[in-house]
Amino acid sequence: MTVVTGGPRPQEDHSPRERTREEDVATSQDDGHPGSHYNRIRQSIVSGQAGPGTVLIPTVLSTQYNVSRTPVREALIRLEQDGLVERATRGYVVRTRTPEEILEICEARIALESSAAQAAAIRRTELDLARLVHVHESTAATKDPAELRELNHLWHVALREAGHNTTIAELMDRLDAQLKVYDSHTAPATDLPDNLSLILEEHAGILDAVRRRDAGAARDRMIAHQSRTRDLRIGALARSGRAAH
Amino acid sequence: MTVVTGGPRPQEDHSPRERTREEDVATSQDDGHPGSHYNRIRQSIVSGQAGPGTVLIPTVLSTQYNVSRTPVREALIRLEQDGLVERATRGYVVRTRTPEEILEICEARIALESSAAQAAAIRRTELDLARLVHVHESTAATKDPAELRELNHLWHVALREAGHNTTIAELMDRLDAQLKVYDSHTAPATDLPDNLSLILEEHAGILDAVRRRDAGAARDRMIAHQSRTRDLRIGALARSGRAAH
DNA sequence: GTGCAAGCAAGTGTATACAGATGAACTCAA
DNA sequence: TTGAGTTCATCTGTATACACTTGCTTGCAC
């Protein structure tokens, strides 16, 4: 189990609390609004910087960020509710998921995303469609893997917007974050060129169904698309799991 | 907008903080474990005691429960993440949902619950099936509306257990809580005797599909069941909305 | 009465205090 | 060297302190 509590610490600083403005700016891109620590810690988890099993201790984080435990605790409570961290005897731990749990998350995603596709076919506006086409074409014109992953994500976000169901969109955001934690393991498989062209084909198919307002086809194609992605993900996870043994 | 912050206050008590054990026991069924305030406040919202629009102010709640603001704040943050309350300029407010939003929640529920039914047909054990049958028969043998609502809920919980997907089960718990806030408006419609017999029929049909391991039928029947419940709910809401005007 | 501004009560976020709990390190007899 | 007991540093939950903000009230000129 990794027992890192974050990036490199600025310096050992045991003074009670110096509200030096310079230091604040230096150690953080804190915009100052309440709850910003939540986003910061969340980002470090989702980005994989603080991978599964990483121990997060309020005291340590608070000295790192040069704030008191109170706002850090608030952030960790929210992250716990998000399913990204869980309570340990001491502090919190970035949640470790078994392949079975990853499969469960994928199953929930398929249910919600196919429902969103169905809704998009029914409720999409012309603007929604134009946005979707735009992102799709940008994706087709890109070669950089990181940018492709981002555009792929944006396409799905645009589709959920076209579905006009914020409840589903929010739940998907949460599930996306839970899976993103494992991207470092699964990315190699999903970044393969032949997968990328398959993704584009599948997106095009769904897009076409949404254009034609064919809700059933949109749903079925999304199920197929997400199921294939799931299998790829699980396969990569199984391989990296075996490799870790 | 209702501006009640809870039940009757024990007595005006402005002393700093008296850790009188007797008083604690008297004013609460606090089991003492951390996070118990979350459950208490959550319950008061879900039960309808603190309906939509109710303002929850940390200071007030903390004097009511005879604890400091810190644990109350923690509870409210968790409830915010649950989608049950939202931040206001002062304090938190129990979220008010438009009928459109209620529809969105129902849509997400249909997607997840039908997926759970499908999974149950595939993955159910004999024990799962026996539990499901037991709850179903208890439901059929009951007349009391409150008990019927509870058993109906338990049947759905048992089905999700049979689906063996805790992610879906947890998401459904959350969505159930969000809808339960409006039960006082929708219960009159769902408690009608002819609806109850319809529910039993539909449950029996889903149960049969799960028994036969017919995933497609389980899914489709669940979609039909939940869609009908949704329409009933929305109808009742529209009527109570019109009545409120 | 009406409108405006000063004053004030009460809320907000964050820091800190403090009393337990707990796990790691340390001691010492065998 | 080992294992049981003891210390101790540190973490946890909760209470409290404090500075800042905000919106209501009050009083006064008109």
Side-chain angles (χ1 to χ4, degrees):
Chain A
M1 187 194 266
T2 330
V3 199
V4 186
T5 35
R9 305 178 56 171
Q11 69 269 341
E12 286 306 324
D13 177 5
H14 287 284
S15 59
R17 178 140 317 283
E18 332 180 334
R19 272 245 133 274
T20 323
R21 248 301 94 183
E22 301 79 81
E23 193 190 345
D24 272 3
V25 174
T27 56
S28 73
Q29 47 284 55
D30 188 354
D31 57 3
H33 83 82
S36 59
H37 302 292
Y38 165 73
N39 289 316
R40 199 197 323 221
I41 301 174
R42 186 180 199 268
Q43 192 51 39
S44 83
I45 294 170
V46 168
S47 71
Q49 189 198 326
T54 305
V55 175
L56 301 170
I57 283 153
T59 318
V60 176
L61 291 177
S62 72
T63 58
Q64 259 179 48
Y65 295 151
N66 200 36
V67 292
S68 75
R69 283 195 297 131
T70 315
V72 172
R73 257 179 73 83
E74 165 171 340
L76 289 169
I77 288 163
R78 292 176 68 184
L79 290 167
E80 185 187 11
Q81 219 69 359
D82 281 348
L84 286 177
V85 306
E86 61 190 351
R87 311 256 16 213
T89 337
R90 288 281 174 92
Y92 292 75
V93 181
V94 177
R95 278 183 76 162
T96 303
R97 309 258 181 196
T98 62
E100 286 76 21
E101 286 176 305
I102 305 265
L103 250 171
E104 286 186 6
I105 296 171
C106 288
E107 196 168 277
R109 273 168 47 91
I110 292 172
L112 290 170
E113 192 82 331
S114 62
S115 180
Q118 196 171 359
I122 296 166
R123 296 200 282 266
R124 65 138 181 103
T125 64
E126 290 305 314
L127 184 57
D128 291 328
L129 189 63
R131 284 205 191 101
L132 217 37
V133 169
H134 175 70
V135 177
H136 183 71
E137 287 174 352
S138 304
T139 313
T142 307
K143 287 282 164 287
D144 177 49
E147 204 179 331
L148 271 168
R149 259 207 301 283
E150 177 62 13
L151 281 166
N152 176 34
H153 176 67
L154 282 180
W155 186 85
H156 282 274
V157 170
L159 185 93
R160 290 167 210 161
E161 265 174 34
H164 295 276
N165 184 325
T166 55
T167 299
I168 288 183
E170 275 167 28
L171 292 179
M172 283 299 297
D173 278 348
R174 210 169 281 207
L175 296 178
D176 277 350
Q178 292 180 13
L179 286 188
K180 206 148 185 288
V181 170
Y182 292 88
D183 259 12
S184 53
H185 297 296
T186 52
T190 49
D191 280 353
L192 292 177
D194 45 349
N195 178 44
L196 292 175
S197 61
L198 263 178
I199 285 179
L200 275 177
E201 266 179 53
E202 289 165 347
H203 281 196
I206 296 163
L207 189 44
D208 189 54
V210 168
R211 192 199 319 268
R212 297 190 334 262
R213 300 197 179 279
D214 184 341
R219 185 196 59 221
D220 293 342
R221 287 179 187 187
M222 180 59 87
I223 291 175
H225 173 51
Q226 292 281 42
S227 302
R228 201 181 57 75
T229 304
R230 173 199 60 196
D231 296 341
L232 220 54
R233 202 185 286 269
I234 296 297
L237 217 55
R239 277 192 298 280
S240 82
R242 239 189 295 122
H245 267 291
Chain B
M1 187 194 268
T2 329
V3 200
V4 187
T5 34
R9 305 178 56 171
Q11 70 269 342
E12 285 306 323
D13 177 4
H14 286 284
S15 59
R17 176 139 320 284
E18 331 181 336
R19 271 248 135 271
T20 323
R21 249 298 97 182
E22 300 81 81
E23 192 191 344
D24 273 4
V25 174
T27 55
S28 74
Q29 48 282 57
D30 188 354
D31 56 3
H33 83 80
S36 58
H37 302 291
Y38 165 72
N39 288 317
R40 199 195 326 218
I41 301 174
R42 186 179 199 269
Q43 192 50 40
S44 83
I45 294 171
V46 168
S47 73
Q49 190 198 325
T54 305
V55 174
L56 301 169
I57 283 153
T59 318
V60 177
L61 291 175
S62 72
T63 58
Q64 257 178 48
Y65 295 151
N66 199 36
V67 292
S68 75
R69 282 194 298 132
T70 314
V72 172
R73 256 179 74 82
E74 164 171 341
L76 288 170
I77 288 163
R78 292 176 68 185
L79 291 167
E80 185 187 10
Q81 219 67 1
D82 282 348
L84 286 177
V85 304
E86 61 189 352
R87 309 256 16 213
T89 336
R90 289 283 174 91
Y92 292 76
V93 181
V94 178
R95 278 183 76 160
T96 304
R97 308 255 181 200
T98 62
E100 286 77 20
E101 285 175 306
I102 304 264
L103 251 170
E104 285 187 7
I105 295 170
C106 288
E107 196 168 279
R109 274 168 47 92
I110 292 172
L112 290 169
E113 192 82 331
S114 62
S115 180
Q118 196 172 0
I122 295 167
R123 295 200 282 265
R124 63 137 181 104
T125 64
E126 290 306 316
L127 184 57
D128 291 329
L129 190 64
R131 284 205 191 102
L132 217 37
V133 169
H134 174 69
V135 177
H136 183 72
E137 287 173 353
S138 304
T139 311
T142 307
K143 287 282 163 287
D144 177 50
E147 205 178 330
L148 271 168
R149 258 207 301 282
E150 176 62 14
L151 282 166
N152 177 35
H153 176 66
L154 282 179
W155 186 85
H156 282 274
V157 170
L159 185 93
R160 289 167 209 163
E161 266 173 34
H164 295 276
N165 185 324
T166 54
T167 299
I168 288 183
E170 275 166 27
L171 291 179
M172 283 299 297
D173 278 348
R174 211 169 280 207
L175 296 179
D176 277 351
Q178 291 180 13
L179 286 189
K180 207 149 183 288
V181 170
Y182 292 90
D183 260 11
S184 54
H185 297 296
T186 53
T190 50
D191 280 353
L192 293 176
D194 45 349
N195 178 44
L196 293 173
S197 60
L198 263 179
I199 285 179
L200 275 177
E201 267 179 52
E202 290 165 346
H203 281 196
I206 296 165
L207 189 44
D208 188 53
V210 169
R211 192 200 319 270
R212 297 191 334 261
R213 298 197 180 280
D214 185 340
R219 186 198 58 220
D220 292 343
R221 287 179 186 188
M222 180 59 86
I223 292 175
H225 173 50
Q226 292 280 44
S227 301
R228 200 182 57 76
T229 304
R230 174 200 58 196
D231 295 342
L232 221 54
R233 203 185 285 269
I234 295 296
L237 217 57
R239 276 192 299 281
S240 82
R242 239 187 298 121
H245 266 289

